[in-house]
Amino acid sequence: MHTATKAHSISRAVKEAVWERDGGRCILCLCPDAAPNAHYLPRSQGGRGIEENIVTLCRSCHDAYDNSGQRPFLRAEIRAYLSARYPNWDERTLVYHK
């Protein structure tokens, strides 16, 4: 696996930790039919597959986050959620650099 691909993918350990952190529910609507596979900073922008960059979202919220005009609002909600859980959370650490 290429180094960049590995940096962006979400390992099983990260998915399990995020699922536990998020209480097994979508962090936006609290739906239990969700998965810990959404990047706060997308892979296309260098977003790493680390706990501080991954959240649990249901299909509807994930689609809204990726493909709608609601993205700025949802991004602010996710940013607040993650920064509340990681005291030193910094977006600059979420991006893969060669």
Side-chain angles (χ1 to χ4, degrees):
M1 183 181 291
H2 190 274
T3 306
T5 302
K6 187 174 182 180
H8 302 305
S9 19
I10 309 167
S11 71
R12 174 173 284 224
V14 167
K15 286 183 180 186
E16 289 172 0
V18 169
W19 182 254
E20 182 71 26
R21 180 199 67 205
D22 297 346
R25 295 182 171 275
C26 176
I27 65 161
L28 298 174
C29 72
L30 304 179
C31 174
D33 186 18
N37 61 4
H39 287 72
Y40 166 72
L41 287 181
R43 290 178 291 195
S44 63
Q45 294 177 6
R48 296 168 56 202
I50 59 174
E51 288 179 45
E52 296 86 348
N53 191 44
I54 305 300
V55 293
T56 303
L57 296 180
C58 68
R59 173 169 268 156
S60 178
C61 289
H62 198 166
D63 186 53
Y65 185 57
D66 284 348
N67 302 308
S68 80
Q70 295 179 346
R71 186 172 181 87
F73 172 74
L74 297 174
R75 184 176 168 104
E77 280 193 54
I78 295 170
R79 180 187 306 116
Y81 180 85
L82 290 170
S83 63
R85 277 145 187 84
Y86 301 98
N88 297 317
W89 189 81
D90 183 347
E91 285 189 35
R92 295 173 292 185
T93 65
L94 307 179
V95 178
Y96 171 74
H97 300 283
K98 287 184 182 184

